[in-house]
Amino acid sequence: MEAPAPHNPAEPGSVQIVVTSPEQMRELGRRLAKLLRAGDLVMLSGELGAGKTTLTRGLGEGLGVRGAVTSPTFVIARVHPSLGDGPPLVHVDAYRLSGGLDEMEDLDLDVSLPESVVVVEWGEGKVEELTEDRLQVVIHRAVGDTTDEVRQMTITGLGERWASADLSVLAA
């Protein structure tokens, strides 16, 4: 991974990272897992194939959860219990959900959130009301007919939970 881009003063609590391979994306997920605790909400956004599930796979490895982390596109949500004393991982793919929080309420994420790490792919406009404290991960990649593995990522901590977090450790 390359060093973070210069800090943008317009985005306090934000870090920019360049990832050049799927393995680097998984490693970033493993490092991010070290910052997470029960009650954390992570929102992932990016084009199809940007690496959201690959990042979540690394999160699962870092959190030490049971089961292979795969895209929950057709089941909407999967719970991966912890193999140790850490929190379970709830992995949600909201791509097929058209409604806002009303449709998400059927998943009982508000019940799961306090004791779990909840990761939501495609959650923009759907889960923000769950908590003011969340981590937003935006992944940009080249689109079209390309095999380019480079991803430009912006990770932003929102709310009191992330106000003093040093996200620059993710670029190490």
Side-chain angles (χ1 to χ4, degrees), residues 3 5-6 31 40 45 48-49 61 82 88 90 96 98 102 108 110 116 120 135-136 157 160 164 166:
R31 282 202 310 278
D40 284 342
S45 59
L48 285 170
E61 292 167 5
S82 175
V90 177
R96 296 186 183 281
S98 58
D102 290 342
D108 286 333
D110 54 337
S116 305
V120 182
L135 200 60
Q136 285 189 214
E160 188 176 324
S164 61
D166 182 10

Side-chain angles (χ1 to χ4, degrees), residues 14-168:
S14 181
V15 65
Q16 295 182 349
I17 300 170
V18 176
V19 174
T20 60
S21 71
E23 182 47 45
Q24 283 186 357
M25 186 68 80
R26 282 176 77 164
E27 176 56 31
L28 177 59
R30 289 188 287 268
R31 282 202 310 278
L32 178 56
K34 294 176 185 175
L35 298 178
L36 298 175
R37 62 182 186 217
D40 284 342
L41 173 64
V42 180
M43 287 178 41
L44 304 178
S45 59
E47 298 87 5
L48 285 170
K52 297 177 294 295
T53 300
T54 302
L55 179 72
T56 306
R57 196 168 290 130
L59 278 171
E61 292 167 5
L63 291 170
V65 299
R66 185 181 62 196
V69 175
T70 58
S71 178
T73 299
F74 297 102
V75 294
I76 310 299
R78 281 196 173 94
V79 177
H80 298 274
S82 175
L83 293 171
D85 58 357
L89 171 66
V90 177
H91 184 198
V92 179
D93 186 333
Y95 184 74
R96 296 186 183 281
L97 302 179
S98 58
L101 189 60
D102 290 342
E103 196 169 6
M104 295 299 287
E105 282 180 353
D106 291 339
L107 299 175
D108 286 333
L109 294 181
D110 54 337
V111 173
S112 300
L113 187 58
E115 69 268 355
S116 305
V117 169
V118 177
V119 176
V120 182
E121 298 184 26
W122 306 97
E124 308 79 27
K126 299 173 185 167
V127 297
E128 290 89 341
E129 293 178 33
L130 286 173
T131 178
E132 292 179 10
D133 297 318
R134 63 187 175 274
L135 200 60
Q136 285 189 214
V137 179
V138 179
I139 307 169
H140 294 284
R141 71 170 184 92
V143 293
D145 187 19
T146 180
T147 59
D148 188 358
E149 295 288 343
V150 175
R151 306 296 192 256
Q152 306 283 336
M153 301 181 61
T154 303
I155 302 173
T156 306
L158 300 170
E160 188 176 324
R161 157 73 174 100
W162 296 101
S164 61
D166 182 10
L167 297 177
S168 68

